[in-house]
Amino acid sequence: MSNPDTAERAPVVLNPALAYDRSPPKPDAPTPNEERWSNVHAPDAMRATTASAETGTTSANRALRVFLRNPNAMTGLIFLVLVVAAALLAPVLYPEDPLSMVARPFIWPGTNSTYPLGTDSLGRDVLSGILHGARISLLVGIVATVIGLAVGLIIGSTAGYFGGWVDDVLVKLIEIVQTLPSFILLVVLVAIAQPSVAVVTGAVGIVSWPTVARLVRSEFRAIREKDYVVAARSLGYGHVRIIIREILPNALPPIIVTSSVMVASAILMESALSFMGLGDPNLVSWGSMIGDGRELLRTAWYLTAIPGLAIVFTVLALNLIGDGLNDALNPRFTDER
Amino acid sequence: MANASLLSVRDLTVKFPRIEPVRNLSFDVSEGETLAIVGESGSGKSLTALALMRLLPKAAQITSGRIDFSGRDLLKLDDRSIRSLRGKEIAMIFQEPMTSLNPVLTIGRQITESLRLHEGLSAKAARLRAIELLDLVRIPAPHKRIDDYPHQLSGGMRQRVMIAIAVACRPRLLIADEPTTALDVTIQAQVLDLLDRLRRELSMALILITHDLGIVTQWADNVVVMYAGRKVEQALPEALFADPLHPYTRGLLNASPRLKDDYHYTDGPLTEIPGSIVSAIGENGCPFAPRCPIVRSGCRTRVPDLLVPAEDRLVACPVIFAEGERHVAARGL
Amino acid sequence: MSLLAVSDLHTHYAGPSGTLRAVDDVSLTVEDGETVGLVGESGCGKSTLGKTITRLVAPTKGSIVFKQEDITRISERSLRPVRRRLQMIFQDPFGSLNPRQNIRDILTAPLVVHGYGNRAERAKRVEALIDRVGLPRTALSRYPHEFSGGQRQRIGIARALILDPELVVCDEPVSALDLSIQAQILNLLSSMKKDLGLSYLFISHDLSVVRYFTDRVLVMYLGRIVESADNRTLWAQPKHPYTRALMDAVPDPSRRRQAAPISGDLPSPQNIPSGCRFHPRCPLATDICRTVDPALTSFGPTHQVACHHADAA
């Protein structure tokens, strides 16, 4: 309580005789207007705000604290940082195309210090492939998630905010997309167009938006009824302002949590496509590496195991981060003091 | 009414890691008596009730005090004995009757549960008893209502069901924590009427926890006024209204517009208590000192003792007896 | 002409088990500078009436005329200039402020939306209002969760008044506050009214507060106004049995352990009783009450009652 703000507190001037006088002011001694209303001021205003400043800063800071104290989330975060670093450093460490043949085939991991993770059946460096593959996985994962989020946010917020027939139509649309098995839709989309990174990314984004749209819609429906949104309407705010400024910031926590898991599932979908040979043939990805090693599973199992582990750990890391974010941003825990 | 003491609380202190929401609280409840504990939110009145039931949240700790209930110190009982006491000898009802009832069980199920647990009744006997209880709390057509789910009942009816559950095992003490705050004024009157009738018919004692001074004076035999975890005044209701002593009690009585009072906004403002209860945090002396109109320098350093100005009366304010302050107490009331 | 004139207003909702008649044929006026109280129990439709008047809920039938302009069915766009003059204060000081915006943003946004002045002028207006409601300027950079209930209600009042409205619908503005804070907020509202020449439609379930704070009172029961009178007349001679029951139900220190004035629950607005809607709970009910719905009848210049037995009172 030694906050300097406390000292700024306006002095409470209270005449005890006046304070307990319920009778109307006497006509012969009219109180000046200022004094009559002097008690309108809230003398504890500063004290209350300093008191709460002491118990906890903003909710964002608190959420960050909770997140940073969560060992699982930190493990996930550290691993993800490693993957990002690998993706960023790949062109520096291995400027050569990872698809080029650099040594004799089937060098086992740990037997040659130049190729710590060995080489594949065509003599390509596995470590170089893993690092470059991280670029593709992350790129597809993040961009596809952004596409899915954007489409899902627009459709979900429109449906949830406006309700009525707009909601009915959009919910039908969401349901139609969701009834199609998403991976088959993905395969069809990629098969129709050329299998390039852009097409794969776009296709993954397209199959993942309905999840976001559903979530955003339900959040918007709940928040739309809150008094501060009703207040915004009563103040004459436009729809766009209400959606973006009033509702969206309050709907964000579950959306953030979901997006980390979406990145993970996008990485899985890309890997699966590449494994099936529907990825970009000119680029190495973790999925295509597994696909290439599939035939040699009995003789050189490391060719599938190493990219497989990369996928498992990355997806796990993203899920751990998602759980950590959920704990940190969940309003149930936000209320604790 | 001056029967033997049923419950006696001495120097009860409840501590959370950062704050002490109940501090050195003492009071007695006699057999068959209604004691009201009045205070605004943050006064510690609800935590006191939970402490009596030994139902405090995990973070809370009772750091000192005794709670004697008909000769046993509740704080020394093991979990098993306290569980057998809860619901059977001490029962509690809460403010929000919707959340205190399980939505997926019929009200009959919820009433019979306690009967079968504590009284060992057969399913059939418990059901008959449950119908009797619903009738006792004046629920119309109880034999039909017993198979209803909570959402099929109105707020007032749900609170009646809660009361039926609470009195099922004929407790000797019923703690009602803001039992009518969520209810409309006409329903509130019915529920209070019912509680008082049950108190007489079942000869139980009642602790009525409320923020509403009007309820208190109409229904209580004895009133404890709490502020920021401490008892600041105790009196019989008539005396409390006729001559409130503590500046906080006086402030509360003056700040509330009253129905029988011909005072209108065009006549002037209401008398305010400035500030809020948050200002009590960190006060070494009297918790009300930051908002008190007659605060003296001594008030900020030392917690005032409870003084006994008259029989059945306690007040934690020495300043009120100082020269020139008594007339303030009597004015305008 | 009245500042606000509502006539034959109905607000019905289509529910799963039939139509919910939340507001069912209500007419009322609010004059310039007047505080009109609207009293009733929860579920009587008083809140819906407030929201229908501010066009936050669509009316089913009837008309709302504010400052000689019929606003019953005009578009949201044409409503915007009206909103400036017709504001609302909400009950829940914890729910009515956006938790993600600081106080400055909350108070500045209405000015931006309505194109008030430039940046400096808006900042000045915000500071003037925060001073006026008795909060320090340092409050502007803080977030709602850092304030107590009473302080948040001050912020809600500042937001409602920042556009300089003429009529403010106050929906239970003090019911969620502690007693010691209620008086502060009522005093603030009444000083604001005096300074700014406001009119209030003051919705409350608390008769004591309504008695202190209003000039004229409307008593509402199940979507209908059952009694309307100026403040003093109503308390001197309440005529509707429901009004009297409400008054008797308020705990009174001078009475000890008095029996409840009326029995029974408020019926559901989806299933409104025939005839007089109060008859199942009414101590005076006779056969006519069960069949004929009483109309509001005048009992003096300012006093209207909808009861077949109002004379018997």
Side-chain angles (χ1 to χ4, degrees), chain A residues 24, chain B residues 261-270, chain C residues 35 209-216 231-232:
Chain B
D261 198 352
D262 209 9
Y263 190 64
H264 195 241
Y265 80 98
T266 46
D267 298 330
L270 294 165
Chain C
T35 301
V209 169
V210 167
R211 168 155 212 197
Y212 168 73
F213 198 72
T214 61
D215 301 315
R216 202 150 52 81
N231 192 316
R232 273 169 214 280

Side-chain angles (χ1 to χ4, degrees), chain C residues 54-75:
Chain C
T54 48
R55 280 285 312 272
L56 295 168
V57 168
T60 312
K61 211 166 99 185
S63 77
I64 309 160
V65 178
F66 178 66
K67 298 187 72 183
Q68 263 95 268
E69 184 187 356
D70 190 330
I71 60 165
T72 324
R73 274 168 235 294
I74 62 175
S75 71

Side-chain angles (χ1 to χ4, degrees), chain C residues 54-287:
Chain C
T54 48
R55 280 285 312 272
L56 295 168
V57 168
T60 312
K61 211 166 99 185
S63 77
I64 309 160
V65 178
F66 178 66
K67 298 187 72 183
Q68 263 95 268
E69 184 187 356
D70 190 330
I71 60 165
T72 324
R73 274 168 235 294
I74 62 175
S75 71
E76 194 62 41
R77 191 173 294 272
S78 352
L79 207 54
R80 198 171 284 183
V82 176
R83 295 220 180 275
R84 224 180 139 152
R85 303 280 167 240
L86 176 59
Q87 269 304 309
M88 188 149 183
I89 295 171
F90 296 85
Q91 168 174 7
D92 177 11
F94 290 86
S96 61
L97 303 177
N98 190 333
R100 305 266 167 185
Q101 294 178 358
N102 67 21
I103 309 309
R104 179 175 282 109
D105 290 343
I106 288 173
L107 294 181
T108 311
L111 298 174
V112 174
V113 167
H114 289 272
Y116 176 95
N118 58 27
R119 184 178 278 266
E121 284 164 338
R122 288 196 290 264
K124 223 173 132 193
R125 175 94 183 131
V126 167
E127 285 177 359
L129 254 294
I130 206 82
D131 290 348
R132 186 63 189 79
V133 297
L135 289 172
R137 291 194 184 171
T138 47
L140 289 172
S141 55
R142 295 180 182 274
Y143 285 82
H145 74 269
E146 298 177 61
F147 295 92
S148 67
Q151 292 169 333
R152 288 177 194 220
Q153 202 54 296
R154 287 172 196 271
I155 296 163
I157 292 171
R159 177 179 59 189
L161 299 185
I162 201 152
L163 295 170
D164 202 12
E166 292 173 46
L167 175 65
V168 181
V169 175
C170 309
D171 189 1
E172 303 260 14
V174 297
S175 336
L177 304 176
D178 272 317
L179 196 58
S180 75
I181 308 297
Q182 281 192 11
Q184 295 176 5
I185 298 299
L186 287 174
N187 284 349
L188 176 64
L189 285 172
S190 106
S191 84
M192 288 296 215
K193 172 183 154 72
K194 204 165 125 192
D195 293 1
L196 307 174
L198 298 171
S199 307
Y200 290 132
L201 179 63
F202 189 88
I203 301 171
S204 177
H205 71 280
D206 187 333
L207 274 98
S208 325
V209 169
V210 167
R211 168 155 212 197
Y212 168 73
F213 198 72
T214 61
D215 301 315
R216 202 150 52 81
V217 185
L218 312 170
V219 182
M220 204 164 165
Y221 186 79
L222 279 182
R224 182 80 55 94
I225 286 169
V226 296
E227 184 157 11
S228 151
D230 74 85
N231 192 316
R232 273 169 214 280
T233 311
L234 187 74
W235 264 271
Q237 337 164 292
K239 284 200 183 292
H240 200 282
Y242 179 63
T243 313
R244 276 180 276 145
L246 271 184
M247 289 180 180
D248 288 343
V250 175
D252 177 358
S254 61
R255 293 180 315 214
R256 293 280 295 157
R257 302 209 155 104
Q258 196 209 337
I262 44 172
S263 56
D265 264 346
L266 202 65
S268 153
Q270 277 173 325
N271 188 14
I272 289 177
S274 65
C276 172
R277 44 197 72 198
F278 185 58
H279 85 258
R281 301 174 78 190
C282 184
L284 304 178
T286 54
D287 282 343

Side-chain angles (χ1 to χ4, degrees), chain A residues 18 26 38 53 67 71 82 135 221 245 276 288 308 332:
Chain A
L18 209 134
K26 283 139 203 78
S38 63
F67 184 79
L82 287 177
R135 290 172 76 81
R221 278 170 70 94
R245 302 287 285 273
M276 293 171 69
S288 69
R332 235 174 348 122

Side-chain angles (χ1 to χ4, degrees), chain A residues 154-155 158-159 165-175:
Chain A
I154 291 169
I155 292 181
T158 311
W165 67 267
V166 178
D167 187 42
D168 292 343
V169 170
L170 291 176
V171 166
K172 284 281 172 299
L173 181 68
I174 295 171
E175 279 170 356

